[in-house]
Amino acid sequence: MGKNYKNDTVVYQIYPRSYLDTDGDGYGDLKGIISKLDYIASLGVNVIWLSPIYKSPDDDNGYDISDYKSIQPRFGTMDDFDTLVSEAKKRGIGIMMDLVINHTSDEHEWFRRALAGEEKYRNYYIIEKGKNGKIPNNWGNFFAECPWTPFGDEKNGEYYLHLFSKKQPDLNWHNPEVLEEVKDILNFWLERGVCGFRCDVINVIYKNTLADGKRRPILTGQEHYLSTEGCHDILRKLRESCLEPHGAWAVGETVFVDVQRAKDLCDESRGELDMVFSFEHMECDQIIVKWFKTKLRPKKLMRTLSKWQTALDWSSVYFENHDQPRFISRFCDSKEYRAEASKMVAGLLLTLRGTPFIYEGQEIGMTNGDFKNLFEVEDIESHNVYKMAKSLGLPKGYRWRMIQRTSRDNARTPMQWTAGEKAGFSSSEPWLKINANHTEVNVENEQNQQNGVLAFWQTMVSLRKENEVLKNGSFTSLYEGKSVYAYQREYEGKRLVSIMNMCSKAAKIPSSLALGGKLIISNYDGESDKLRPFEFRLIELD
Ligand code: ISL
């Protein structure tokens, strides 16, 4: 992927099961996405990243793949997929697939054959003898469960490793045959015309050793598998054999990544990833682990953003995805300013340096799901964490509030198309509860408003795509206050300044920011000598 391609791209992430259901089974489908391509094109985006659409028993909503070369039947057929690629292409939009290669489903043919005793396939997974009648090591698991499950008959004393659910056995990347299989999968999709891949938890795939790890509050053992040399080597091979020949690109989801590791993974000269998703800016409201949250502190967010903007030459920029609570719900608790806050995030996302990723529903200011109890929550991680909290003796009310705030389902509620029945998402009961605020927060409503949230996102995307300073300019932080953030983008002598107020109270404009210049866009009408709640301004300096 050439440099300009990076700078010109704005990505829209779709969580297929929640986008639009056209066959009335309560799940979104590919035909639904196809029917919304004009809407997606109207956002101005030029790449769609699809969360997994492969065949899967759905233990982790498709991140447990049982066949990498077929489509989940409830999402449609391979013909539907081909139509999606060609119809998107007509609108100047590329399709990016989600590549999940740390693990497969336990229902994948490879794992079944391993269980049936085929040596070749046993070597595809990480299978170990227990130690002294116990599991092989002291590692932790991302979903708060034990990472080892008996492999086949318990009496054999063997276990397989799974960093995620027990239905997601980890692949053995020490086996070169696994690499060959994965190359074949990439080429299969590249030949069908996809433009790239979002690589799921890519920096954990290669485990150096299975030795015990240093004890930590979460994910003991991580020092044995985070960003190992083996992982770098695999990424280089995948680029050389698959991405490069097809002119495709890759963004890596890289958990617990620090600046140096991120640099190592996406430095152009190393030929690995084009960019990464880092997490530090999403953790500004967390206490040690993501399930314990405080109110988001804007200053911490600003500092973290500036740090990453300055440290990396290029990366992705995102504030929402299918794993994170809705961003505006994290720092704007008043309904009154929902629209302003969403517009401010649009201003922020689209004026930072890097490739912006917009998550479905973000463009209309969707908020966290309004779940009333655990029965309404589907996510495997939430259920496991609830159980863990119970075993730690945390009180019931606390446990529920914890899930309510942090559940990944917060961002997975069906897309809100209309104020009507089932939000225009489906004709039957949806797989996950629709937010009651769809009567107010929905696409149809937004499309009738000239100054609405959607219109602002559209304007910001087009500004971003047309403006060389926003596309290519350098980043310099100008001000990081309690709620006021300002930074400058500069390119070939032209300067733009973004200035915003990240809270629901008006804020004074610091004297150092009285820079003059011409207002390009703001999310408020009329002038004001203060920054109003969640006000965003983009200013061109002389
Ligand atoms: O959510 C996280 C950080 O805030 C991490 O726990 C991490 O993003 C996540 O667990 C890894 O996510 C990816 O792989 C998982 C899958 O469940 C997620 O949906 C996917 O994005 C396993 O494949």
Coordinates of all heavy atoms in Angstrom, one line a residue, residues 104-145:
T104 N -8.6 -20.8 15.7 CA -9.7 -21.2 14.8 C -10.9 -21.5 15.8 O -10.7 -21.4 17.0 CB -9.4 -22.5 14.0 OG1 -9.3 -23.6 14.9 CG2 -8.1 -22.3 13.2
S105 N -12.0 -22.0 15.2 CA -13.0 -22.6 16.1 C -12.6 -24.0 16.4 O -11.9 -24.7 15.6 CB -14.3 -22.6 15.3 OG -15.2 -23.5 15.9
D106 N -13.1 -24.5 17.5 CA -12.9 -26.0 17.8 C -13.7 -26.8 16.8 O -13.6 -28.0 16.8 CB -13.2 -26.3 19.3 CG -14.6 -26.1 19.6 OD1 -15.4 -25.4 18.9 OD2 -15.1 -26.8 20.6
E107 N -14.6 -26.2 16.1 CA -15.4 -26.9 15.1 C -14.8 -26.9 13.7 O -15.3 -27.3 12.7 CB -16.8 -26.4 15.1 CG -17.5 -26.7 16.4 CD -19.0 -26.3 16.5 OE1 -19.7 -26.3 15.4 OE2 -19.4 -25.9 17.6
H108 N -13.6 -26.2 13.6 CA -12.9 -26.2 12.3 C -12.4 -27.7 12.0 O -12.0 -28.4 13.0 CB -11.7 -25.3 12.4 CG -11.1 -25.0 11.1 ND1 -10.4 -25.9 10.4 CD2 -11.1 -23.9 10.3 CE1 -10.0 -25.4 9.2 NE2 -10.4 -24.2 9.1
E109 N -12.4 -28.0 10.7 CA -12.0 -29.3 10.3 C -10.6 -29.7 10.9 O -10.4 -30.8 11.3 CB -12.0 -29.4 8.8 CG -12.0 -30.8 8.3 CD -11.5 -30.9 6.9 OE1 -11.4 -29.9 6.2 OE2 -11.0 -32.0 6.5
W110 N -9.7 -28.7 10.9 CA -8.3 -29.0 11.5 C -8.4 -29.5 12.9 O -7.7 -30.5 13.3 CB -7.4 -27.8 11.4 CG -7.3 -27.2 10.1 CD1 -7.4 -27.8 8.9 CD2 -6.9 -25.8 9.8 NE1 -7.1 -26.9 7.9 CE2 -6.8 -25.7 8.4 CE3 -6.6 -24.7 10.6 CZ2 -6.5 -24.4 7.8 CZ3 -6.3 -23.5 10.0 CH2 -6.2 -23.4 8.6
F111 N -9.2 -28.9 13.7 CA -9.2 -29.3 15.1 C -10.0 -30.6 15.3 O -9.5 -31.5 16.1 CB -9.9 -28.2 16.0 CG -9.7 -28.3 17.4 CD1 -8.4 -28.0 18.0 CD2 -10.7 -28.8 18.3 CE1 -8.2 -28.2 19.3 CE2 -10.4 -29.0 19.7 CZ -9.2 -28.6 20.2
R112 N -11.0 -30.8 14.5 CA -11.7 -32.1 14.5 C -10.8 -33.2 14.2 O -10.8 -34.3 14.8 CB -12.9 -32.1 13.6 CG -14.0 -31.2 14.0 CD -15.1 -31.4 13.0 NE -16.0 -30.3 13.1 CZ -17.3 -30.4 13.2 NH1 -17.9 -31.6 13.2 NH2 -18.1 -29.4 13.3
R113 N -10.0 -33.0 13.1 CA -9.1 -34.1 12.7 C -8.0 -34.3 13.7 O -7.5 -35.4 13.9 CB -8.5 -33.8 11.3 CG -9.6 -33.9 10.3 CD -9.2 -33.5 8.9 NE -8.5 -34.5 8.2 CZ -8.2 -34.5 6.9 NH1 -8.6 -33.5 6.2 NH2 -7.5 -35.5 6.4
A114 N -7.6 -33.2 14.4 CA -6.6 -33.3 15.5 C -7.2 -34.2 16.6 O -6.5 -35.2 17.0 CB -6.2 -32.0 16.0
L115 N -8.4 -33.9 16.9 CA -9.1 -34.7 18.0 C -9.2 -36.2 17.5 O -9.1 -37.1 18.4 CB -10.5 -34.2 18.3 CG -10.5 -33.0 19.2 CD1 -12.0 -32.5 19.3 CD2 -10.1 -33.4 20.6
A116 N -9.4 -36.4 16.2 CA -9.6 -37.8 15.7 C -8.2 -38.5 15.7 O -8.2 -39.6 15.3 CB -10.2 -37.7 14.4
G117 N -7.2 -37.8 16.1 CA -5.9 -38.5 16.2 C -4.9 -38.3 15.0 O -3.9 -38.9 15.0
E118 N -5.3 -37.4 14.1 CA -4.4 -37.2 12.9 C -3.2 -36.3 13.4 O -3.4 -35.1 13.7 CB -5.1 -36.5 11.8 CG -6.0 -37.5 11.0 CD -6.5 -36.9 9.7 OE1 -5.8 -36.3 9.0 OE2 -7.8 -37.0 9.6
E119 N -2.0 -36.9 13.3 CA -0.8 -36.2 13.8 C -0.6 -34.8 13.1 O -0.2 -33.8 13.8 CB 0.4 -37.1 13.6 CG 1.7 -36.8 14.4 CD 1.4 -36.7 15.9 OE1 0.6 -37.5 16.4 OE2 2.2 -35.9 16.5
K120 N -0.8 -34.9 11.8 CA -0.6 -33.6 11.0 C -1.4 -32.5 11.7 O -0.9 -31.4 11.8 CB -1.1 -33.8 9.6 CG -1.1 -32.6 8.7 CD -1.5 -32.9 7.3 CE -2.0 -31.7 6.5 NZ -1.0 -30.8 6.0
Y121 N -2.6 -32.7 12.0 CA -3.5 -31.6 12.5 C -3.3 -31.3 14.0 O -3.5 -30.2 14.5 CB -4.9 -31.9 12.1 CG -5.1 -31.8 10.6 CD1 -5.3 -32.9 9.8 CD2 -5.1 -30.5 10.0 CE1 -5.4 -32.8 8.5 CE2 -5.2 -30.4 8.6 CZ -5.3 -31.5 7.8 OH -5.4 -31.4 6.5
R122 N -2.8 -32.3 14.7 CA -2.4 -32.1 16.1 C -1.4 -31.0 16.2 O -1.4 -30.1 17.0 CB -1.8 -33.4 16.7 CG -2.4 -33.9 17.9 CD -1.5 -35.1 18.3 NE -0.7 -34.7 19.4 CZ -1.1 -34.9 20.7 NH1 -2.2 -35.5 21.0 NH2 -0.3 -34.5 21.7
N123 N -0.5 -31.0 15.2 CA 0.6 -30.1 15.1 C 0.2 -28.7 14.7 O 0.9 -27.8 14.7 CB 1.7 -30.5 14.2 CG 2.6 -31.6 14.8 OD1 2.7 -31.6 16.0 ND2 3.1 -32.5 14.0
Y124 N -1.1 -28.5 14.3 CA -1.6 -27.2 14.0 C -2.0 -26.4 15.3 O -2.2 -25.3 15.3 CB -2.9 -27.3 13.2 CG -2.7 -27.5 11.7 CD1 -1.6 -28.3 11.2 CD2 -3.6 -27.0 10.7 CE1 -1.4 -28.5 9.8 CE2 -3.4 -27.2 9.4 CZ -2.3 -27.9 8.9 OH -2.1 -28.1 7.6
Y125 N -2.1 -27.1 16.4 CA -2.6 -26.5 17.6 C -1.5 -26.7 18.7 O -0.5 -27.3 18.5 CB -3.9 -27.1 18.0 CG -5.0 -26.8 17.0 CD1 -5.3 -27.7 16.0 CD2 -5.7 -25.6 17.1 CE1 -6.2 -27.4 15.0 CE2 -6.6 -25.3 16.1 CZ -6.9 -26.2 15.1 OH -7.8 -25.8 14.2
I126 N -1.8 -26.0 19.9 CA -0.8 -26.1 20.9 C -1.3 -27.0 22.0 O -2.2 -26.7 22.8 CB -0.6 -24.6 21.5 CG1 -0.1 -23.7 20.3 CG2 0.5 -24.7 22.7 CD1 0.1 -22.3 20.7
I127 N -0.8 -28.2 22.0 CA -1.3 -29.3 22.8 C -0.2 -29.7 23.8 O 0.9 -30.0 23.3 CB -1.9 -30.5 22.0 CG1 -3.0 -29.9 21.1 CG2 -2.3 -31.6 22.9 CD1 -3.3 -30.8 19.9
E128 N -0.4 -29.7 25.1 CA 0.6 -30.0 26.0 C 0.1 -31.0 27.1 O -1.0 -31.0 27.5 CB 1.0 -28.7 26.8 CG 2.0 -27.8 26.1 CD 3.4 -28.4 26.2 OE1 4.0 -28.4 27.2 OE2 3.9 -28.7 25.1
K129 N 1.1 -31.7 27.6 CA 0.8 -32.6 28.8 C 0.7 -31.7 30.0 O 1.4 -30.7 30.1 CB 2.0 -33.5 29.0 CG 1.9 -34.8 28.2 CD 1.6 -35.9 29.2 CE 1.3 -37.2 28.5 NZ -0.1 -37.6 28.4
G130 N -0.2 -32.0 30.9 CA -0.3 -31.3 32.2 C 0.9 -31.5 33.0 O 1.7 -32.4 32.8
K131 N 1.1 -30.6 34.1 CA 2.2 -30.8 35.0 C 1.7 -31.3 36.3 O 0.9 -30.6 36.9 CB 2.9 -29.4 35.1 CG 4.1 -29.2 34.2 CD 4.9 -28.0 34.8 CE 5.5 -27.2 33.6 NZ 5.7 -25.8 34.0
N132 N 2.2 -32.3 36.8 CA 1.8 -32.9 38.1 C 0.3 -32.9 38.3 O -0.2 -32.4 39.3 CB 2.5 -32.1 39.3 CG 3.9 -31.8 39.0 OD1 4.6 -32.6 38.5 ND2 4.3 -30.6 39.4
G133 N -0.3 -33.4 37.3 CA -1.8 -33.5 37.4 C -2.5 -32.2 37.2 O -3.7 -32.1 37.4
K134 N -1.8 -31.1 36.9 CA -2.4 -29.8 36.8 C -2.2 -29.3 35.3 O -1.5 -30.0 34.6 CB -1.8 -28.8 37.7 CG -2.1 -29.1 39.2 CD -1.9 -27.8 40.0 CE -1.9 -28.2 41.5 NZ -0.6 -27.9 42.1
I135 N -2.8 -28.1 35.1 CA -2.6 -27.6 33.7 C -1.2 -27.2 33.4 O -0.4 -27.0 34.4 CB -3.5 -26.3 33.5 CG1 -3.3 -25.3 34.6 CG2 -5.0 -26.8 33.4 CD1 -4.1 -24.0 34.4
P136 N -0.8 -27.1 32.2 CA 0.7 -26.9 31.8 C 1.4 -25.6 32.3 O 2.6 -25.6 32.5 CB 0.7 -27.0 30.3 CG -0.6 -27.7 29.9 CD -1.6 -27.3 31.0
N137 N 0.7 -24.5 32.5 CA 1.3 -23.3 33.0 C 0.4 -22.4 33.7 O -0.8 -22.7 33.8 CB 2.1 -22.6 31.9 CG 1.2 -22.1 30.8 OD1 0.0 -21.8 31.0 ND2 1.7 -21.8 29.6
N138 N 0.9 -21.2 34.1 CA 0.1 -20.3 34.9 C -0.5 -19.2 34.1 O -0.9 -18.1 34.7 CB 0.9 -19.8 36.1 CG 2.0 -18.8 35.6 OD1 2.3 -18.7 34.4 ND2 2.7 -18.1 36.5
W139 N -0.6 -19.3 32.8 CA -1.1 -18.2 32.0 C -2.5 -17.8 32.3 O -3.3 -18.6 32.7 CB -0.9 -18.6 30.5 CG 0.5 -18.7 30.0 CD1 1.6 -18.7 30.8 CD2 0.9 -18.8 28.7 NE1 2.7 -18.8 30.0 CE2 2.3 -18.8 28.7 CE3 0.3 -18.8 27.4 CZ2 3.1 -18.9 27.6 CZ3 1.0 -18.9 26.3 CH2 2.4 -19.0 26.3
G140 N -2.8 -16.5 31.9 CA -4.1 -16.0 32.0 C -4.8 -16.1 30.6 O -4.2 -16.5 29.6
N141 N -6.1 -15.6 30.6 CA -6.9 -15.8 29.4 C -7.7 -14.4 29.2 O -8.1 -13.8 30.1 CB -7.8 -17.0 29.6 CG -9.0 -17.0 28.6 OD1 -9.9 -16.2 28.6 ND2 -8.9 -18.1 27.7
F142 N -7.8 -14.0 27.9 CA -8.5 -12.7 27.6 C -9.9 -12.7 28.1 O -10.5 -11.6 28.4 CB -8.5 -12.4 26.1 CG -7.2 -11.9 25.6 CD1 -6.1 -12.7 25.4 CD2 -7.0 -10.5 25.3 CE1 -4.9 -12.2 24.9 CE2 -5.8 -10.0 24.9 CZ -4.8 -10.9 24.6
F143 N -10.6 -13.8 28.1 CA -12.0 -13.9 28.5 C -12.2 -14.3 29.9 O -13.3 -14.9 30.2 CB -12.8 -14.8 27.5 CG -13.0 -14.2 26.1 CD1 -13.4 -15.0 25.1 CD2 -12.7 -12.8 25.9 CE1 -13.6 -14.5 23.8 CE2 -12.9 -12.3 24.6 CZ -13.4 -13.1 23.6
A144 N -11.2 -14.2 30.8 CA -11.4 -14.5 32.2 C -11.8 -15.9 32.4 O -12.6 -16.2 33.3 CB -12.4 -13.5 32.8
E145 N -11.2 -16.8 31.6 CA -11.4 -18.3 31.9 C -10.1 -19.0 31.9 O -9.1 -18.3 31.7 CB -12.4 -18.9 30.9 CG -12.1 -18.8 29.4 CD -13.2 -19.4 28.5 OE1 -14.3 -18.9 28.5 OE2 -12.8 -20.3 27.8

